Amino acid sequence: MTGRFAKSLYNVLFRPFAASRFVFFGYPQGLAVRQRAGWIAVLVWMAVAGNAMALSGTELSAQFDRGLKAYDAKQYPAAFQIWWQIKDEDLAAMRNVALMLRKGLGVPKDPRKAEGILRTAAAAGMPNAQVDLAEMYLNGETGVPRPKRALPLLKRAADAGHPLGQYLLGQMYEDGNGVPKDINRAAELYISSARGGLEEAKERLASLDQGRAGKKSSPSVKAGNPAPKQPEQPARSAGQSIASAYVVQLGSFRTAEEAEAHWSQLQSNPMLASRPHQLEKADLGQKGTWHRLVIAGGSDRKPAAALCGQLTAMGQPCLVRRIAAPPLTAASEK
């Protein structure tokens, strides 16, 4: 390891936490070797990304959009090459490269290589990558099905409010696949997924209701045939609507343009790169209408509070609140 690389590793990963009691990147003792390897991969990736600085945020976004334009035009080889060049600086590009390797789009199909790339993106906190990797394990794309490896990935994605992650985790509880069978837990997850817009979750809920009413339910949808379209889509830079019991508010701005500009600056943070965001309008009377920038915090307050704690330690102010909570007062806005 060169001196410059080591210095970059320290500056990017550890220096922001030197004065804080909260340490995000340290892993607890006793983790399995595989889990430690995942953390090490993330640390190395972040050091490389922080050390590269080959492109500014605007240039990186433009390069990513070039890849997206090529992908949408079905120019898969071109899209793959564009995203491959920036995968070490952009988590969404990293996930897209893995997706194309997994599906054999514009490049020879290579599930094992896709698995390795997805493990880095998933360990960095990207819900889409967590779901992609969990699907690979459930489907046995690199060997036999491994539901126990998929389980923690889907739990993390579900807590982040990812509809497909909630759906697949619900299937595991419904079928007793790698977990004790729990129809009530499955129904809760399907409800959350349905609120996120996944039609397949609504169908599974209807089937469960029929079964509870004593009617013959439809055959259970197996993990090998999940909601087919959502995971096929590459990560995109545009904001998505979020379905989450808790949100993390990252700021309040006078205009939507200011809020989106702030979000663009935050995209370099791997913890935020893949999270859906949205703007909430708040009428504050004489202060006018403000625009709150929020991201999904999950179905429980604990992961939302943990994320906010991590962001605060890195110098990004935030607050956690329930979606159904009353609006903040004017005094609490910026």
Side-chain angles (χ1 to χ4, degrees), residues 55-307:
L55 298 174
S56 67
T58 301
E59 292 170 335
L60 191 62
S61 178
Q63 189 81 334
F64 182 91
D65 289 343
R66 282 185 58 233
L68 190 60
K69 184 177 180 180
Y71 184 95
D72 288 340
K74 299 184 187 283
Q75 298 171 356
Y76 298 132
F80 182 85
Q81 290 300 322
I82 292 170
W83 282 332
W84 180 269
Q85 293 172 6
I86 62 172
K87 66 178 176 58
D88 292 331
E89 300 175 67
D90 188 285
L91 269 181
M94 179 184 288
R95 182 259 175 173
N96 289 354
V97 162
L99 173 70
M100 299 183 79
L101 284 165
R102 180 186 171 198
K103 302 298 180 182
L105 296 175
V107 67
K109 190 173 181 179
D110 192 338
R112 291 198 176 278
K113 191 171 184 177
E115 178 191 7
I117 294 173
L118 284 174
R119 285 178 62 184
T120 300
M126 185 179 200
N128 282 344
Q130 292 163 0
V131 172
D132 290 346
L133 185 56
E135 270 200 311
M136 293 188 72
Y137 290 145
L138 289 172
N139 298 342
E141 294 181 27
T142 58
V144 298
R146 292 174 285 182
K148 289 187 177 180
R149 286 197 183 182
L151 183 62
L153 293 164
L154 291 179
K155 284 183 175 180
R156 290 165 61 193
D159 283 341
H162 196 291
L164 184 58
Q166 294 163 338
Y167 176 80
L168 294 177
L169 185 58
Q171 282 187 322
M172 293 185 71
Y173 279 104
E174 182 183 359
D175 298 336
N177 182 23
V179 292
K181 191 169 184 176
D182 188 338
I183 298 300
N184 290 332
R185 179 59 179 147
E188 292 173 357
L189 288 161
Y190 289 148
I191 289 172
S192 296
S193 179
R195 286 174 177 168
L198 202 64
E199 291 298 323
E200 286 80 358
K202 299 177 184 178
E203 295 172 5
R204 292 308 309 145
L205 276 172
S207 178
L208 288 180
D209 288 341
Q210 288 178 359
R212 286 171 173 174
K215 298 179 181 179
K216 183 178 180 181
S217 63
S218 59
S220 176
V221 181
K222 298 300 180 183
N225 297 291
K229 293 184 179 179
Q230 187 164 334
E232 300 280 347
Q233 298 301 315
R236 297 172 183 271
S237 58
Q240 311 164 43
S241 84
I242 60 177
S244 178
Y246 288 87
V247 295
V248 178
Q249 182 171 315
L250 302 177
S252 187
F253 305 85
R254 289 189 178 277
T255 67
E257 290 74 17
E258 290 178 355
E260 289 293 353
H262 185 66
W263 176 249
S264 296
Q265 294 174 359
L266 295 176
Q267 291 300 281
S268 60
N269 187 327
M271 289 189 294
L272 301 176
S274 65
R275 289 182 179 269
H277 76 285
Q278 68 183 30
L279 302 184
E280 297 177 348
K281 286 186 178 181
D283 186 353
L284 303 179
Q286 293 182 349
K287 292 191 67 175
T289 300
W290 288 67
H291 302 265
R292 297 168 178 164
L293 172 61
V294 300
I295 58 175
S299 58
D300 186 80
R301 185 178 181 84
K302 288 184 178 179
L307 173 62

